[in-house]
Amino acid sequence: MTDEEILERLSQDQNIRRILEIIRNLQLQDSWLAAGCVRNFIWNILFGKSGFDPNTDVDVIFFDPTISYEQTLQLEMELREAFPDYRWELKNQVYMHIHSPNTQPYSCSKDAMTQYPERCTAIGLRLMANDKLELFAPYGLEDIRAFQVRPTPHFLADEERKKLYTQRISKKNWQDKWSQLSFEFPSEEKKSAI
């Protein structure tokens, strides 16, 4: 499946479209539907399942230094109350670097996505003012298409981040949903299955 075909499937999905419209209407600076929500949709369609999974967190990111951590939590609660059909996770990337060991503050949402733990998770989607979709995938879609999970260069560059990546992958149980996934760990030369 080509990038264009994947974008077309995302564009045609009623839930994804509605979520993107909700995000756009929030008018948060530098906002994206990101990470697992987009990645899981693509894995599902490649696996022959329905694209959108209502049990998947709807990861919304934005970048705005004028909105505090507490205000972000309040906005997330309001989003959950207004649109309870979705499992909203709202994160202001101004504060999220603290969850990644030895990481400098991010400069924007794209910078944050580039430094996510897995290459396949480094993905974002947004609905532009002209109703066109914009996809950001700094490492491309090849890992997603190949059902491959491996660390980003940022996570490979630091021993603490390598440990965090390994812990994170061991807790996710992604292979229960997508049996053909392969996993690469920083200490190994080749891919291995969990």
Side-chain angles (χ1 to χ4, degrees):
M1 187 174 281
T2 66
D3 290 7
E4 292 75 23
E5 289 169 331
I6 288 171
L7 260 178
E8 186 65 23
R9 291 289 295 271
L10 284 159
S11 174
Q12 291 174 351
D13 185 89
Q14 289 181 341
N15 284 295
I16 294 292
R17 195 77 185 188
R18 181 169 183 236
I19 288 165
L20 290 171
E21 288 171 357
I22 291 167
I23 294 169
R24 184 175 64 183
N25 291 340
L26 291 173
Q27 297 184 333
L28 295 168
Q29 287 185 35
D30 196 10
S31 59
W32 298 79
L33 175 62
C37 188
V38 181
R39 180 203 60 222
N40 292 359
F41 180 95
I42 299 170
W43 276 346
N44 283 339
I45 61 173
L46 292 173
F47 199 68
K49 298 179 177 183
S50 175
F52 181 76
D53 178 357
N55 295 314
T56 294
D57 290 340
V58 176
D59 303 299
V60 180
I61 67 168
F62 68 102
F63 189 92
D64 188 347
T66 69
I67 296 180
S68 71
Y69 187 82
E70 292 73 20
Q71 288 171 309
T72 303
L73 294 176
Q74 179 64 34
L75 286 169
E76 181 182 73
M77 189 177 71
E78 291 169 7
L79 198 52
R80 289 178 179 182
E81 288 173 1
F83 305 101
D85 293 347
Y86 303 113
R87 297 174 51 151
W88 299 99
E89 295 284 337
L90 184 66
K91 305 292 183 197
N92 188 346
Q93 299 304 291
V94 169
Y95 310 107
M96 295 308 292
H97 67 283
I98 63 171
H99 298 286
S100 180
N102 306 315
T103 298
Q104 294 298 311
Y106 304 130
S107 61
C108 63
S109 290
K110 285 183 175 181
D111 182 37
M113 285 186 268
T114 302
Q115 297 182 63
Y116 280 179
E118 309 90 27
R119 293 164 58 102
C120 62
T121 305
I123 187 169
L125 185 69
R126 66 178 165 188
L127 187 62
M128 306 301 287
N130 64 3
D131 285 338
K132 300 278 187 202
L133 294 186
E134 180 183 356
L135 180 72
F136 177 69
Y139 306 106
L141 299 180
E142 286 312 305
D143 282 11
I144 297 175
R145 276 196 204 89
F147 290 95
Q148 185 174 41
V149 180
R150 56 186 172 144
T152 60
H154 179 69
F155 266 71
L156 281 173
D158 179 90
E159 288 305 317
E160 286 186 56
R161 290 194 296 265
K162 287 179 186 179
K163 287 178 190 170
L164 180 61
Y165 166 85
T166 301
Q167 291 167 359
R168 178 178 151 81
I169 296 303
S170 66
K171 291 178 185 175
K172 288 292 183 180
N173 296 321
W174 289 335
Q175 69 278 9
D176 293 347
K177 285 188 178 182
W178 305 284
S179 57
Q180 70 274 55
L181 284 175
S182 63
F183 299 83
E184 186 176 299
F185 293 95
S187 60
E188 296 179 354
E189 293 290 320
K190 59 182 182 176
K191 294 176 281 179
S192 65
I194 294 179

